[in-house]
């Protein structure tokens, strides 16, 4: 019933978002996903990542057949598009196989096997739908928020030493190779998440059930809640508000070589194309989630999770997509969401409620400070800079301390009378007093 309720809620949300997008003359997530059944997908690797997640419920023989079918369908699509002179692309095969498995579950499976296969299909499609939903949210933010709050965040960022400006100059100095590596890491975040999720779900086909908590759940909740904050605190980022990419809408063309001058911050109008997707940094949130969930993996997986987090932070700042204040808010945001998801899985208790409440309070305090105290923060960087870092560090400490306690398995206390069992006489044996000297 929980899965059915979750499915109905997700479907209702997608339909509501589709209707909202249509109201603004935009294609919604359902339309974009349906088009990829025939037309060239916007992200082939994402579709194959979704297929890989679905494969965790299948046997090895079924996995080989599913992958072979997906590749065969893609080859047919490629040949037809090449012959017609159309745009080339791949990924349709993966979507066809996932949809085919959904049909197979209803027509050739019953009971637990049907439920397990449908959960696998739903997991794969949700990864893809989450990406489509995010794209639609970004378009809606640009249509509904004509003014942005970048001057407020840029002013508050003086307390942190304007890290985006510093990182931007470092990326420029690193040359094209470093830039290409960071772009690859930044753009393939869903693929990295799929790798961690596959590791966590590797035993589903054997145990015939999903674990209570895994990375995909947190990923989807982040993508659901994060854009709501975008609507409250619309920010486009330094490369647009203070760089050449902003064109005529930019406040000034100074990024990344000159920090913006201090002055009374105010709302500024911006175009209807650029997404208002900076506060909080969801790329930071997702990369932090990958790092957290990789901690229980192999050494290679732990190194990969750490690398992805560091490279993502470098890319978000170095390309001018985010301010330093965005990253701090993103870390607090994701730890709060992750704590809530783990508390939901293990049952709400005092420690979980306290951790989630504290994270939510810190997050709201950060947003209020960026909005109403930016000038004071910029004029006293040696006070507010450490305070911002301390707020983030306090949430990290609270999360690590609480979840470490959750992960510790209680050790049963020894029974002081257990050794007496060995002293009791067996059938037919004489009863000997315990205080006997013999």
């Amino acid at each position: 019933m929980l899965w059915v309720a979750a499915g109905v809620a997700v479907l209702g949300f997608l339909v509501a978002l589709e209707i909202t997008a249509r109201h603004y003359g935009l294609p919604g997530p359902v339309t974009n996903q349906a088009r990829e059944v025939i037309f060239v997908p916007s992200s082939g690797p994402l579709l194959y990542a979704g297929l890989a997640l679905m494969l965790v419920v299948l046997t090895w023989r079924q996995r080989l057949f599913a992958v072979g079918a997906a590749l065969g369908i893609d080859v047919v699509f490629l040949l037809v598009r090449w012959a017609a002179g159309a745009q080339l692309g791949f990924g349709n095969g993966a979507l066809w196989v996932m949809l085919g498995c959904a049909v197979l579950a209803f027509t050739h499976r019953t009971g637990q096997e049907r439920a397990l296969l449908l959960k696998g299909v739903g997991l794969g499609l949700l990864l893809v739908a989450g990406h489509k939903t995010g794209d639609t949210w970004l378009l809606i933010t640009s249509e509904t928020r004509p003014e942005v709050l970048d001057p407020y965040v840029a002013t508050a960022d003086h307390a942190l030493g304007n890290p985006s400006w510093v990182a931007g100059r470092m990326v420029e100095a690193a040359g094209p190779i470093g830039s290409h590596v960071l772009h690859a890491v930044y753009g393939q975040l869903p693929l990295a998440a799929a790798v961690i999720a596959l590791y966590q779900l590797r035993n589903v086909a054997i145990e015939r059930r999903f674990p209570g908590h895994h990375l995909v759940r947190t990923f989807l909740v982040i993508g659901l809640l994060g854009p709501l904050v975008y609507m409250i605190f619309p920010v486009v980022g330094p490369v647009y508000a203070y760089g050449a990419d902003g064109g005529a809408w930019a406040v000034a063309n100074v990024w990344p070589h000159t920090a913006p001058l201090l002055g009374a911050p105010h709302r500024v109008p911006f175009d209807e194309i650029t997404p208002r997707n900076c506060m909080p940094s969801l790329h930071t949130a997702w990369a932090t989630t990958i790092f957290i969930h990789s901690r229980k993996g192999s050494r290679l997986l732990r190194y990969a999770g750490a690398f992805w987090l560091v490279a993502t932070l470098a890319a978000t700042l170095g390309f001018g997509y985010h301010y330093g204040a965005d990253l701090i808010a993103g870390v607090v945001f994701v730890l709060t969401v992750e704590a809530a998801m783990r508390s939901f899985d293990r049952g709400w208790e005092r420690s979980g409620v306290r951790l989630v409440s504290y994270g939510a309070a810190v997050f709201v305090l950060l947003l209020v400070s960026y909005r109403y105290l930016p000038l004071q923060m910029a004029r006293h960087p040696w006070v507010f800079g450490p305070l911002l870092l301390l707020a983030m560090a306090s949430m990290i400490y609270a999360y690590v301390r609480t979840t470490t306690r959750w992960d510790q398995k209680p050790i049963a206390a020894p029974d002081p009378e257990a050794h007496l069992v060995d002293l009791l006489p067996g059938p037919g044996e004489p009863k000997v007093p315990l205080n006997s000297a013999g």
Side-chain angles (χ1 to χ4, degrees):
M1 291 300 296
L2 182 62
W3 277 88
V4 172
V8 171
V10 171
L11 182 60
F13 173 75
L14 291 176
V15 171
L17 197 59
E18 180 78 21
I19 295 173
T20 303
R22 290 289 181 178
H23 176 72
Y24 291 102
L26 305 170
V30 178
T31 301
N32 287 331
Q33 187 63 75
R35 290 184 73 258
E36 295 186 351
V37 175
I38 301 297
F39 297 99
V40 178
S42 60
S43 178
L46 179 66
L47 285 169
Y48 271 93
L51 175 63
L53 286 180
M54 188 207 71
L55 295 181
V56 299
V57 303
L58 304 180
T59 64
W60 277 107
R61 181 179 179 181
Q62 293 169 338
R63 291 170 184 173
L64 293 175
F65 182 81
V67 173
L71 294 176
I73 294 171
D74 265 334
V75 169
V76 173
F77 270 95
L78 283 172
L79 291 176
V80 171
R81 287 167 181 156
W82 176 75
Q87 177 186 357
L88 299 181
F90 69 97
N92 303 89
L95 182 57
W96 276 51
V97 170
M98 285 190 283
L99 296 176
C101 286
V103 175
L104 182 67
F106 283 109
T107 58
H108 291 77
R109 295 288 188 273
T110 59
Q112 183 182 2
E113 292 300 316
R114 172 187 290 178
L116 187 67
L117 184 54
L118 286 176
K119 288 178 184 178
V121 173
L123 193 64
L125 291 178
L126 276 176
L127 179 68
V128 181
H131 191 272
K132 302 296 181 187
T133 300
D135 291 343
T136 303
W137 263 120
L138 298 185
L139 292 174
I140 292 176
T141 62
S142 62
E143 288 282 342
T144 60
R145 294 296 180 267
E147 295 181 328
V148 297
L149 301 178
D150 281 77
Y152 292 89
V153 186
T155 302
D157 229 34
H158 279 74
L160 299 170
N162 301 298
S164 181
W165 272 256
V166 176
R169 294 193 294 269
M170 292 175 65
V171 170
E172 278 190 352
I177 296 179
S179 178
H180 287 323
V181 171
L182 293 181
H183 267 296
V185 171
Y186 192 84
Q188 296 303 323
L189 194 63
L191 189 60
V195 171
I196 303 296
L198 286 174
Y199 179 83
Q200 291 181 322
L201 304 176
R202 65 192 182 279
N203 294 324
V204 170
I206 299 174
E207 300 175 355
R208 313 309 293 166
R209 65 180 182 86
F210 280 85
H213 178 56
H214 51 82
L215 177 141
V216 180
R217 297 174 63 194
T218 304
F219 244 65
L220 293 174
V221 173
I222 290 172
L224 175 66
L225 298 180
L228 296 177
V229 186
Y230 293 163
M231 304 292 286
I232 300 172
F233 210 113
V235 180
V236 294
V239 72
Y240 298 104
Y242 294 95
D245 290 5
W249 296 94
V251 178
N253 188 2
V254 295
W255 186 89
H257 300 289
T258 305
L261 298 176
L262 288 180
H266 57 281
R267 294 173 176 265
V268 294
F270 217 80
D271 62 33
E272 298 181 356
I273 301 174
T274 307
R276 281 63 162 153
N277 62 335
C278 283
M279 182 61 71
S281 169
L282 293 195
H283 261 80
T284 298
W286 282 319
T288 304
T289 305
I290 290 175
F291 174 79
I292 292 172
H293 285 263
S294 67
R295 294 306 87 197
K296 294 183 179 181
S298 63
R299 179 179 298 181
L300 178 61
L301 214 59
R302 294 196 301 270
Y303 286 158
F307 165 76
W308 217 272
L309 175 60
V310 173
T312 300
L313 296 180
T316 55
L317 291 175
F319 294 142
Y321 297 149
H322 289 280
Y323 303 91
D326 303 337
L327 273 61
I328 291 178
V331 171
V332 175
F333 174 76
V334 70
L335 293 180
T336 305
V337 172
E338 180 71 12
M341 297 302 295
R342 292 195 61 175
S343 296
F344 176 80
D345 176 54
R346 67 190 305 272
W348 289 96
E349 58 183 23
R350 181 176 299 179
S351 60
V353 173
R354 185 168 55 243
L355 179 60
V356 174
S357 300
Y358 179 72
V362 172
F363 182 70
V364 171
L365 182 62
L366 289 174
L367 295 186
V368 172
S369 300
Y370 298 156
R371 177 63 177 82
Y372 296 104
L373 298 174
L375 202 55
Q376 291 82 350
M377 297 169 70
R379 289 173 175 171
H380 306 281
W382 293 107
V383 175
F384 286 96
L387 283 178
L388 290 175
L389 296 176
L390 182 61
M392 180 181 67
S394 68
M395 184 57 193
I396 295 174
Y397 173 76
Y399 176 84
V400 172
R401 181 181 180 184
T402 304
T403 55
T404 300
R405 289 178 178 176
W406 289 348
D407 293 336
Q408 289 176 346
K409 295 182 179 180
I411 302 175
D415 186 358
E417 297 182 1
H419 67 283
L420 297 179
V421 176
D422 297 330
L423 299 178
L424 295 178
E429 295 181 1
K431 297 182 179 179
V432 180
L434 294 180
N435 59 355
S436 171

